[in-house]
């Protein structure tokens, strides 16, 4: 044990001597340290005091643990704008929105082309009733219907030549008129509606001259009503005249029928 200790001490002395011999080579560094005494005082490592200094180091230690992560740094500046990407897939159709308020009326458009001609419709029923007749001989008898037996028009046969009466078949408004030639006697004539006189005409004869007596009226007739002319009063008022050159006429026709 004492021998080993002696050898260890001798080894330390040898190391000391070797260390002392290397000190002149480090003079420039010491000169620099003297020029900068602050540096020397602060950074100079004192030499080992004991005999065991640099000849025997300890075993390397284990690596230390990772430290705690540092704080996040500041956001970097925005980069340059990239290229436009491809269009994405269309999404589902959304719900219909509320209807907007009506806009202003636009200008009138051009007329359209005429349409196709329609089918022929059924003809409406036309109501007809008319007659026009005249005398063939003068001086008809008084107080009976005058028989106008010269027919100008009587297609519907509503005027009866044998009785001298017009009989209404279509209810409605009618127009009647008469134009009588007066000769040799005075004329007093009346129009009757179903046995009641409704219109009178009087014309006095002028000697050696012919005259005209006339009258017209609008009447509403019901079906079955009769209209005729007759000399009113005595025979001396039957100066109604007719020959090949002079006519006395009686005319009537329907203006419009009742639609009720």
């Amino acid at each position: 044990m004492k021998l080993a200790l002696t050898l260890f001490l001798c080894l330390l002395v040898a190391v000391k001597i070797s260390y002392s011999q290397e000190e002149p080579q480090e003079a420039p560094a010491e000169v620099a340290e003297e020029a900068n005494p602050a540096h020397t005082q602060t950074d100079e490592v004192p030499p080992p005091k004991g005999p065991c200094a640099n000849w025997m180091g300890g075993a390397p230690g284990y690596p230390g643990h990772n430290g705690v992560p540092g704080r996040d740094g500041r956001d970097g500046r925005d980069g340059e704008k990239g290229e436009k990407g491809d269009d994405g897939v269309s999404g589902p159709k959304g719900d219909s929105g509320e209807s907007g308020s009506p806009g202003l009326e636009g200008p009138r458009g051009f007329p359209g082309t005429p349409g196709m001609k329609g089918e022929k419709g059924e003809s409406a029923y036309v109501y007809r009733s008319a007659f026009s007749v005249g005398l063939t001989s003068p001086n008809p008898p008084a107080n009976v219907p005058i028989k106008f037996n010269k027919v100008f028009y009587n297609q519907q046969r509503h005027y009866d030549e044998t009785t001298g009466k017009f009989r209404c078949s279509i209810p409605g408004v009618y127009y009647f008129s008469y134009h009588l030639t007066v000769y040799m006697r005075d004329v007093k004539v009346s129009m009757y509606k179903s046995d009641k006189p409704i219109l009178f005409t009087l014309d006095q004869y002028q000697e050696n001259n012919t005259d005209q007596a006339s009258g017209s009226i609008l009447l509403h007739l019901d079906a079955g009503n009769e209209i005729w002319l007759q000399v009113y009063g005595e025979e001396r008022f039957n100066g109604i005249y007719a020959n090949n050159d002079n006519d006395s006429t009686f005319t009537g026709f329907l203006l419009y029928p009742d639609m009720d």
Side-chain angles (χ1 to χ4, degrees), residues 13-89:
V13 171
V15 171
K16 179 67 175 176
I17 295 170
S18 177
Y19 180 79
S20 300
Q21 291 177 354
E22 292 177 357
E23 286 180 355
Q25 297 177 359
E26 297 176 356
E30 293 176 358
V31 174
E33 291 175 358
E34 291 177 0
N36 191 359
H39 176 75
T40 303
Q41 293 176 2
T42 305
D43 299 334
E44 183 179 3
V45 179
K49 297 181 179 181
C52 298
N54 296 325
W55 72 276
M56 183 172 139
Y62 293 102
H65 297 288
N66 293 332
V68 179
R71 292 180 299 175
D72 293 340
R74 297 179 180 178
D75 295 338
R77 292 179 297 175
D78 294 338
E80 296 181 359
K81 186 177 180 181
E83 297 180 357
K84 184 178 180 180
D86 297 332
D87 295 337
V89 180

Side-chain angles (χ1 to χ4, degrees), residues 89-105:
V89 180
S90 300
K93 183 178 179 180
D95 298 334
S96 299
E98 297 180 358
S99 301
S101 57
L104 299 175
E105 183 177 358

